[in-house]
PDB file of all heavy atoms in Angstrom:
ATOM      1  N   ILE I 698       4.262   6.767 -15.854  1.00 98.00           N
ATOM      2  CA  ILE I 698       4.950   5.850 -14.939  1.00 98.00           C
ATOM      3  C   ILE I 698       5.686   6.660 -13.882  1.00 98.00           C
ATOM      4  O   ILE I 698       6.460   7.563 -14.215  1.00 98.00           O
ATOM      5  CB  ILE I 698       6.005   5.003 -15.700  1.00 98.00           C
ATOM      6  CG1 ILE I 698       5.400   4.329 -16.941  1.00 98.00           C
ATOM      7  CG2 ILE I 698       6.671   3.999 -14.765  1.00 98.00           C
ATOM      8  CD1 ILE I 698       4.437   3.239 -16.685  1.00 98.00           C
ATOM      9  N   LYS I 899      11.132  -3.325 -10.007  1.00 98.00           N
ATOM     10  CA  LYS I 899      11.179  -4.216 -11.166  1.00 98.00           C
ATOM     11  C   LYS I 899       9.921  -3.946 -11.979  1.00 98.00           C
ATOM     12  O   LYS I 899       8.803  -4.212 -11.528  1.00 98.00           O
ATOM     13  CB  LYS I 899      11.233  -5.658 -10.685  1.00 98.00           C
ATOM     14  CG  LYS I 899      11.554  -6.622 -11.763  1.00 98.00           C
ATOM     15  CD  LYS I 899      11.817  -8.024 -11.199  1.00 98.00           C
ATOM     16  CE  LYS I 899      11.659  -9.043 -12.291  1.00 98.00           C
ATOM     17  NZ  LYS I 899      10.304  -9.555 -12.444  1.00 98.00           N
ATOM     18  N   PHE I 900      10.120  -3.343 -13.164  1.00 98.00           N
ATOM     19  CA  PHE I 900       8.977  -2.971 -14.013  1.00 98.00           C
ATOM     20  C   PHE I 900       8.612  -4.132 -14.929  1.00 98.00           C
ATOM     21  O   PHE I 900       9.496  -4.811 -15.451  1.00 98.00           O
ATOM     22  CB  PHE I 900       9.320  -1.741 -14.859  1.00 98.00           C
ATOM     23  CG  PHE I 900       9.408  -0.484 -14.028  1.00 98.00           C
ATOM     24  CD1 PHE I 900      10.597  -0.108 -13.415  1.00 98.00           C
ATOM     25  CD2 PHE I 900       8.277   0.311 -13.838  1.00 98.00           C
ATOM     26  CE1 PHE I 900      10.669   1.034 -12.631  1.00 98.00           C
ATOM     27  CE2 PHE I 900       8.341   1.451 -13.055  1.00 98.00           C
ATOM     28  CZ  PHE I 900       9.535   1.820 -12.456  1.00 98.00           C
ATOM     29  N   GLU I 901       7.324  -4.331 -15.098  1.00 98.00           N
ATOM     30  CA  GLU I 901       6.858  -5.387 -16.010  1.00 98.00           C
ATOM     31  C   GLU I 901       5.699  -4.845 -16.835  1.00 98.00           C
ATOM     32  O   GLU I 901       4.849  -4.123 -16.316  1.00 98.00           O
ATOM     33  CB  GLU I 901       6.324  -6.596 -15.216  1.00 98.00           C
ATOM     34  CG  GLU I 901       7.363  -7.316 -14.400  1.00 98.00           C
ATOM     35  CD  GLU I 901       6.742  -8.394 -13.487  1.00 98.00           C
ATOM     36  OE1 GLU I 901       5.533  -8.685 -13.619  1.00 98.00           O
ATOM     37  OE2 GLU I 901       7.487  -8.914 -12.643  1.00 98.00           O
ATOM     38  N   ARG I 902       5.703  -5.236 -18.137  1.00 98.00           N
ATOM     39  CA  ARG I 902       4.568  -4.896 -19.000  1.00 98.00           C
ATOM     40  C   ARG I 902       3.744  -6.176 -19.173  1.00 98.00           C
ATOM     41  O   ARG I 902       4.306  -7.240 -19.384  1.00 98.00           O
ATOM     42  CB  ARG I 902       5.100  -4.421 -20.346  1.00 98.00           C
ATOM     43  CG  ARG I 902       4.080  -4.286 -21.456  1.00 98.00           C
ATOM     44  CD  ARG I 902       4.763  -3.775 -22.705  1.00 98.00           C
ATOM     45  NE  ARG I 902       5.210  -2.418 -22.478  1.00 98.00           N
ATOM     46  CZ  ARG I 902       4.422  -1.345 -22.565  1.00 98.00           C
ATOM     47  NH1 ARG I 902       3.167  -1.485 -22.914  1.00 98.00           N
ATOM     48  NH2 ARG I 902       4.889  -0.146 -22.330  1.00 98.00           N
ATOM     49  N   HIS I 903       2.447  -6.055 -19.045  1.00 98.00           N
ATOM     50  CA  HIS I 903       1.584  -7.230 -19.199  1.00 98.00           C
ATOM     51  C   HIS I 903       0.546  -6.977 -20.285  1.00 98.00           C
ATOM     52  O   HIS I 903       0.004  -5.876 -20.376  1.00 98.00           O
ATOM     53  CB  HIS I 903       0.886  -7.559 -17.872  1.00 98.00           C
ATOM     54  CG  HIS I 903       1.844  -8.106 -16.846  1.00 98.00           C
ATOM     55  ND1 HIS I 903       2.028  -9.455 -16.656  1.00 98.00           N
ATOM     56  CD2 HIS I 903       2.678  -7.490 -15.976  1.00 98.00           C
ATOM     57  CE1 HIS I 903       2.934  -9.640 -15.704  1.00 98.00           C
ATOM     58  NE2 HIS I 903       3.353  -8.457 -15.273  1.00 98.00           N
ATOM     59  N   TYR I 908      -4.069  -5.574 -14.410  1.00 98.00           N
ATOM     60  CA  TYR I 908      -3.288  -6.640 -13.781  1.00 98.00           C
ATOM     61  C   TYR I 908      -3.834  -6.969 -12.392  1.00 98.00           C
ATOM     62  O   TYR I 908      -3.823  -8.095 -11.960  1.00 98.00           O
ATOM     63  CB  TYR I 908      -1.833  -6.177 -13.685  1.00 98.00           C
ATOM     64  CG  TYR I 908      -0.887  -7.131 -13.004  1.00 98.00           C
ATOM     65  CD1 TYR I 908      -0.275  -8.160 -13.714  1.00 98.00           C
ATOM     66  CD2 TYR I 908      -0.606  -6.992 -11.640  1.00 98.00           C
ATOM     67  CE1 TYR I 908       0.595  -9.037 -13.086  1.00 98.00           C
ATOM     68  CE2 TYR I 908       0.271  -7.862 -11.004  1.00 98.00           C
ATOM     69  CZ  TYR I 908       0.874  -8.873 -11.725  1.00 98.00           C
ATOM     70  OH  TYR I 908       1.732  -9.744 -11.102  1.00 98.00           O
ATOM     71  N   GLN I 909      -4.290  -5.937 -11.689  1.00 98.00           N
ATOM     72  CA  GLN I 909      -4.771  -6.104 -10.309  1.00 98.00           C
ATOM     73  C   GLN I 909      -5.968  -5.173 -10.083  1.00 98.00           C
ATOM     74  O   GLN I 909      -6.194  -4.274 -10.887  1.00 98.00           O
ATOM     75  CB  GLN I 909      -3.629  -5.851  -9.312  1.00 98.00           C
ATOM     76  CG  GLN I 909      -3.037  -4.452  -9.370  1.00 98.00           C
ATOM     77  CD  GLN I 909      -1.763  -4.282  -8.522  1.00 98.00           C
ATOM     78  OE1 GLN I 909      -1.026  -5.227  -8.292  1.00 98.00           O
ATOM     79  NE2 GLN I 909      -1.535  -3.066  -8.056  1.00 98.00           N
ATOM     80  N   ILE I 925       2.971  -3.892  -5.132  1.00 98.00           N
ATOM     81  CA  ILE I 925       2.955  -3.811  -6.593  1.00 98.00           C
ATOM     82  C   ILE I 925       2.076  -2.627  -6.971  1.00 98.00           C
ATOM     83  O   ILE I 925       0.941  -2.507  -6.495  1.00 98.00           O
ATOM     84  CB  ILE I 925       2.410  -5.098  -7.239  1.00 98.00           C
ATOM     85  CG1 ILE I 925       3.310  -6.292  -6.881  1.00 98.00           C
ATOM     86  CG2 ILE I 925       2.306  -4.933  -8.756  1.00 98.00           C
ATOM     87  CD1 ILE I 925       2.863  -7.623  -7.500  1.00 98.00           C
ATOM     88  N   THR I 926       2.624  -1.757  -7.813  1.00 98.00           N
ATOM     89  CA  THR I 926       1.879  -0.595  -8.283  1.00 98.00           C
ATOM     90  C   THR I 926       1.511  -0.796  -9.743  1.00 98.00           C
ATOM     91  O   THR I 926       2.358  -1.174 -10.550  1.00 98.00           O
ATOM     92  CB  THR I 926       2.754   0.671  -8.155  1.00 98.00           C
ATOM     93  OG1 THR I 926       3.099   0.837  -6.773  1.00 98.00           O
ATOM     94  CG2 THR I 926       2.003   1.909  -8.637  1.00 98.00           C
ATOM     95  N   GLU I 927       0.267  -0.547 -10.072  1.00 98.00           N
ATOM     96  CA  GLU I 927      -0.185  -0.562 -11.477  1.00 98.00           C
ATOM     97  C   GLU I 927      -0.541   0.877 -11.833  1.00 98.00           C
ATOM     98  O   GLU I 927      -1.508   1.449 -11.314  1.00 98.00           O
ATOM     99  CB  GLU I 927      -1.384  -1.494 -11.656  1.00 98.00           C
ATOM    100  CG  GLU I 927      -1.799  -1.614 -13.107  1.00 98.00           C
ATOM    101  CD  GLU I 927      -2.823  -2.720 -13.357  1.00 98.00           C
ATOM    102  OE1 GLU I 927      -3.304  -3.344 -12.392  1.00 98.00           O
ATOM    103  OE2 GLU I 927      -3.142  -2.945 -14.539  1.00 98.00           O
ATOM    104  N   PHE I 928       0.260   1.465 -12.720  1.00 98.00           N
ATOM    105  CA  PHE I 928       0.263   2.918 -12.874  1.00 98.00           C
ATOM    106  C   PHE I 928      -0.965   3.497 -13.577  1.00 98.00           C
ATOM    107  O   PHE I 928      -1.328   4.636 -13.338  1.00 98.00           O
ATOM    108  CB  PHE I 928       1.541   3.355 -13.608  1.00 98.00           C
ATOM    109  CG  PHE I 928       2.765   2.999 -12.823  1.00 98.00           C
ATOM    110  CD1 PHE I 928       3.470   1.828 -13.092  1.00 98.00           C
ATOM    111  CD2 PHE I 928       3.195   3.810 -11.787  1.00 98.00           C
ATOM    112  CE1 PHE I 928       4.589   1.482 -12.345  1.00 98.00           C
ATOM    113  CE2 PHE I 928       4.314   3.471 -11.038  1.00 98.00           C
ATOM    114  CZ  PHE I 928       5.009   2.305 -11.319  1.00 98.00           C
ATOM    115  N   THR I 939      -0.713  -3.057 -19.837  1.00 98.00           N
ATOM    116  CA  THR I 939      -0.530  -2.338 -18.566  1.00 98.00           C
ATOM    117  C   THR I 939       0.908  -2.481 -18.085  1.00 98.00           C
ATOM    118  O   THR I 939       1.633  -3.377 -18.535  1.00 98.00           O
ATOM    119  CB  THR I 939      -1.540  -2.877 -17.525  1.00 98.00           C
ATOM    120  OG1 THR I 939      -1.608  -1.979 -16.430  1.00 98.00           O
ATOM    121  CG2 THR I 939      -1.156  -4.254 -17.001  1.00 98.00           C
ATOM    122  N   VAL I 940       1.309  -1.580 -17.208  1.00 98.00           N
ATOM    123  CA  VAL I 940       2.668  -1.621 -16.654  1.00 98.00           C
ATOM    124  C   VAL I 940       2.566  -1.644 -15.129  1.00 98.00           C
ATOM    125  O   VAL I 940       1.802  -0.872 -14.547  1.00 98.00           O
ATOM    126  CB  VAL I 940       3.498  -0.392 -17.099  1.00 98.00           C
ATOM    127  CG1 VAL I 940       4.880  -0.405 -16.460  1.00 98.00           C
ATOM    128  CG2 VAL I 940       3.616  -0.347 -18.611  1.00 98.00           C
ATOM    129  N   ILE I 941       3.329  -2.544 -14.540  1.00 98.00           N
ATOM    130  CA  ILE I 941       3.360  -2.623 -13.076  1.00 98.00           C
ATOM    131  C   ILE I 941       4.806  -2.500 -12.586  1.00 98.00           C
ATOM    132  O   ILE I 941       5.748  -2.661 -13.371  1.00 98.00           O
ATOM    133  CB  ILE I 941       2.778  -3.963 -12.549  1.00 98.00           C
ATOM    134  CG1 ILE I 941       3.602  -5.156 -13.073  1.00 98.00           C
ATOM    135  CG2 ILE I 941       1.314  -4.110 -12.909  1.00 98.00           C
ATOM    136  CD1 ILE I 941       3.566  -6.354 -12.179  1.00 98.00           C
ATOM    137  N   ALA I 942       4.971  -2.223 -11.305  1.00 98.00           N
ATOM    138  CA  ALA I 942       6.314  -2.250 -10.708  1.00 98.00           C
ATOM    139  C   ALA I 942       6.240  -2.935  -9.356  1.00 98.00           C
ATOM    140  O   ALA I 942       5.367  -2.635  -8.540  1.00 98.00           O
ATOM    141  CB  ALA I 942       6.861  -0.844 -10.544  1.00 98.00           C
ATOM    142  N   LYS I 943       7.153  -3.861  -9.157  1.00 98.00           N
ATOM    143  CA  LYS I 943       7.303  -4.493  -7.847  1.00 98.00           C
ATOM    144  C   LYS I 943       8.378  -3.718  -7.096  1.00 98.00           C
ATOM    145  O   LYS I 943       9.417  -3.375  -7.678  1.00 98.00           O
ATOM    146  CB  LYS I 943       7.728  -5.958  -8.015  1.00 98.00           C
ATOM    147  CG  LYS I 943       6.634  -6.779  -8.682  1.00 98.00           C
ATOM    148  CD  LYS I 943       7.060  -8.204  -8.928  1.00 98.00           C
ATOM    149  CE  LYS I 943       5.875  -8.981  -9.493  1.00 98.00           C
ATOM    150  NZ  LYS I 943       6.251 -10.202 -10.186  1.00 98.00           N
TER     151      LYS I 943
END
Side-chain angles (χ1 to χ4, degrees):
I698 309 290
K899 192 171 160 271
F900 289 88
E901 295 172 9
R902 168 179 293 279
H903 289 265
Y908 177 85
Q909 61 189 28
I925 298 181
T926 300
E927 185 170 5
F928 298 96
T939 195
V940 177
I941 61 153
K943 294 177 176 160

